[in-house]
């Protein structure tokens, strides 16, 4: 029965490759098998030819899988056909033999998706390119990839895909890579999340393959990867770590993303506040601010997160930046700020001309003052000449 299931499964896999993926190799094998069956309907020789063709022309079966199928066939024939011997009994395999055959067929044939017999990486990246604007949510992309590609894949196959997509995201720059970098990057994160310990092991054991991150856009994606998967930093090569340190030293944005370098979130928080307070004014993209918000939320650090927002607001470098920072970082949280935090907002406005000279300053200041007066009835504004309402 197990042998019959395996042969049927191989036929079904070929049919799916032909019908779903338009696989020319699968088409030819099925045509040839059909010809053998018609030429000799009573013969089962086509079964042997089927296994040989699949092994020779596709990547579905390993050498060990073919040998396991052959051993299963031999035991099947002995069990199904009488062999005259001293007792004239059919061969009866023991439970250990049967269990071994079942395990071998499950791992070698039955749980493998048919796409393995084609060039899976080429099929995957072409699919990602075609659907790069289709799956806006990571959960939808993960569902699609898991259903079509990742379900039942062996870890070594996932490792190979991870390595190849890593190169497309972090080590190559051309028109095609630029168009598909975002969808490929999201796929890298999905593969990592499927089995983090195994991918971390891969990053460590084959660290040279993951060296050579290109600057600018590739490095930007690389920092986002480390931000989302902080354990990956510790297994990077020293060359990659040196690249990370160099970029942090020369970019405030990368400093904000560098929490993966610290032993604790509090150590990172103190570092980034010090960098802000000791530096000049700056502009920080909202996508980084949103990532920081989620990070602090994960650690249940709302008060520290509000301190960070105030520090960013205080260093607004332009009127437009100040307007955006107030609207996004201050106004939605006015009721949440403590008395001390509200006072720090007032001091920040008074001390930064980009905050107190902007067109919307008086309106914004009235909102801050109303909340502060509600919490502190005797706060003195007399020395804050630039805080005008």
């Amino acid at each position: 029965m197990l042998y019959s299931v395996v042969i049927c499964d191989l036929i079904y896999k070929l049919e799916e490759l032909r019908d779903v993926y338009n696989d020319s190799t699968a088409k030819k094998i099925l045509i040839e098998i059909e010809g053998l069956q018609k030429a000799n309907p009573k013969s089962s020789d086509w079964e042997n030819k089927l296994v040989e063709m699949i092994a020779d022309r596709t990547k579905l079966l390993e050498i060990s899988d073919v040998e396991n199928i052959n051993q299963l066939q031999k035991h099947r024939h002995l069990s199904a056909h009488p062999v005259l011997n001293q007792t004239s009994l059919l061969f009866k395999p023991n439970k250990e033999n049967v269990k071994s055959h079942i395990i071998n067929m499950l791992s070698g044939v039955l749980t493998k998706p048919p796409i393995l017999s084609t060039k899976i990486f080429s099929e995957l990246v072409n699919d990602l390119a075609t659907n790069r604007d289709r799956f806006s949510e990571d959960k939808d992309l993960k569902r699609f990839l898991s259903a079509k590609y990742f379900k039942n894949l062996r870890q070594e196959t996932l490792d190979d895909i991870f390595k190849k997509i890593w190169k497309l995201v972090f080590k190559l720059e051309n028109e095609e890579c630029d168009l598909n970098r975002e969808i490929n990057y999201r796929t890298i994160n999905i593969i990592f999340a499927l089995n983090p310990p195994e991918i971390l092991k891969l990053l460590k054991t084959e660290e040279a393959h993951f060296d050579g991150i290109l600057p600018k856009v590739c490095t930007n994606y690389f920092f986002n990867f480390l931000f989302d998967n902080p354990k990956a930093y510790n297994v990077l090569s020293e060359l990659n770590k040196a690249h990370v340190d160099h970029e942090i030293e020369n970019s405030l944005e990368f400093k904000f993303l560098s929490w993966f370098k610290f032993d604790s979130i509090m150590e990172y928080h103190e570092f980034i506040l010090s960098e802000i307070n000791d530096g000049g004014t700056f502009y920080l993209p909202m996508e980084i601010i949103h990532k920081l918000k989620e990070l602090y939320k994960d650690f249940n650090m709302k008060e520290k997160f509000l301190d960070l927002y105030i520090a960013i607001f205080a260093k607004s470098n332009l009127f437009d930046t100040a307007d955006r920072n107030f609207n996004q970082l201050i106004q939605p949280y006015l009721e949440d700020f403590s008395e001390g935090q509200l006072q720090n907002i007032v001091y920040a406005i008074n001390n930064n001309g980009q905050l107190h000279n902007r067109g919307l300053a008086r309106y914004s200041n009235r909102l801050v003052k109303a909340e502060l007066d509600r919490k502190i009835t005797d706060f003195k504004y007399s020395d804050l000449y630039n805080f005008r309402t």
Side-chain angles (χ1 to χ4, degrees), residues 31-289:
I31 291 172
E32 292 181 40
I33 293 299
E34 185 178 357
L36 291 172
Q37 290 174 334
K38 288 180 179 180
N40 196 347
K42 295 182 179 181
S43 173
S44 62
D45 288 345
W46 66 269
E47 296 173 359
N48 294 329
K49 291 293 184 181
L50 174 67
V51 175
E52 290 177 11
M53 290 178 186
I54 291 176
D56 291 341
R57 304 183 194 179
T58 76
K59 296 181 180 180
L60 180 59
L61 297 177
E62 307 285 347
I63 295 176
S64 58
D65 299 328
V66 175
E67 182 61 29
N68 287 332
I69 293 173
N70 291 337
Q71 289 298 320
L72 172 63
Q73 184 193 45
K74 290 177 181 179
H75 279 181
R76 180 258 186 186
H77 289 342
L78 288 172
S79 301
H81 305 295
V83 177
L84 294 178
N85 56 25
Q86 292 180 348
T87 58
S88 298
L89 296 176
L90 291 173
F91 170 73
K92 185 178 180 180
N94 58 44
K95 290 182 179 180
E96 286 72 22
N97 281 336
V98 175
K99 182 178 179 180
S100 175
H101 282 310
I102 291 173
I103 292 172
N104 288 337
M105 292 305 103
L106 280 171
S107 62
V109 181
L110 300 177
T111 61
K112 284 183 178 178
I115 190 65
L116 272 180
S117 65
T118 67
K119 295 180 180 180
I120 184 171
F121 176 71
S122 298
E123 182 75 27
L124 173 61
V125 294
N126 288 336
D127 231 348
L128 290 171
T130 301
N131 294 284
R132 62 173 172 261
D133 299 321
R134 179 182 174 190
F135 300 107
S136 58
E137 297 290 331
D138 285 346
K139 61 181 179 63
D140 297 326
L141 177 61
K142 179 180 179 181
R143 183 179 181 183
F144 167 75
L145 291 174
S146 297
K148 189 171 182 180
Y149 293 100
F150 298 159
K151 186 179 180 181
N152 298 322
L153 280 186
R154 292 179 174 180
Q155 187 60 45
E156 53 263 33
T157 305
L158 281 171
D159 289 350
D160 185 63
I161 294 171
F162 183 87
K163 288 166 60 178
K164 290 175 178 176
I165 299 184
W166 177 283
K167 183 176 181 179
L168 296 179
V169 175
F170 302 123
K171 301 175 70 172
L172 288 177
E173 282 188 339
N174 55 52
E175 184 177 356
E176 185 177 359
C177 285
D178 292 341
L179 282 173
N180 300 308
R181 199 178 308 279
E182 179 65 24
I183 191 79
N184 288 336
Y185 169 74
R186 291 166 62 198
T187 301
I188 279 277
N189 273 327
I190 290 170
I191 296 175
F192 186 96
L194 291 175
N195 195 339
E198 285 298 326
I199 298 298
L200 290 173
K201 180 181 177 182
L202 176 69
L203 289 168
K204 179 65 175 178
T205 57
E206 300 190 35
E207 61 180 25
H209 174 85
F210 301 100
D211 286 342
I213 307 300
L214 293 182
K216 298 180 181 179
V217 64
C218 292
T219 294
N220 185 58
Y221 275 94
F222 186 52
F223 268 80
N224 277 277
F225 174 77
L226 294 176
F227 185 95
D228 294 334
N229 307 288
K231 291 183 179 180
Y233 175 76
N234 291 327
V235 298
L236 293 179
S237 68
E238 290 304 314
L239 183 62
N240 266 338
K241 287 181 178 178
H243 174 66
V244 167
D245 291 342
H246 173 77
E247 295 295 336
I248 291 174
E249 185 68 26
N250 292 280
S251 169
L252 183 62
E253 291 184 15
F254 290 148
K255 282 185 173 70
F256 274 98
L257 293 174
S258 68
W259 82 282
F260 51 81
K261 281 179 56 69
F262 295 87
D263 293 332
S264 70
I265 186 63
M266 276 305 303
E267 185 180 342
Y268 161 78
H269 176 74
E270 292 169 1
F271 163 78
I272 205 65
L273 281 185
S274 175
E275 289 292 319
I276 294 173
N277 294 331
D278 293 344
T281 60
F282 62 91
Y283 170 86
L284 190 65
M286 280 307 301
E287 53 264 32
I288 293 182
I289 294 175

Side-chain angles (χ1 to χ4, degrees), residues 15-47:
E15 290 176 342
E16 183 175 343
L17 286 169
R18 177 195 64 192
D19 299 337
V20 177
Y21 301 101
N22 196 30
D23 190 305
S24 60
T25 301
K27 288 181 184 178
K28 291 177 182 178
I29 294 176
L30 287 169
I31 291 172
E32 292 181 40
I33 293 299
E34 185 178 357
L36 291 172
Q37 290 174 334
K38 288 180 179 180
N40 196 347
K42 295 182 179 181
S43 173
S44 62
D45 288 345
W46 66 269
E47 296 173 359

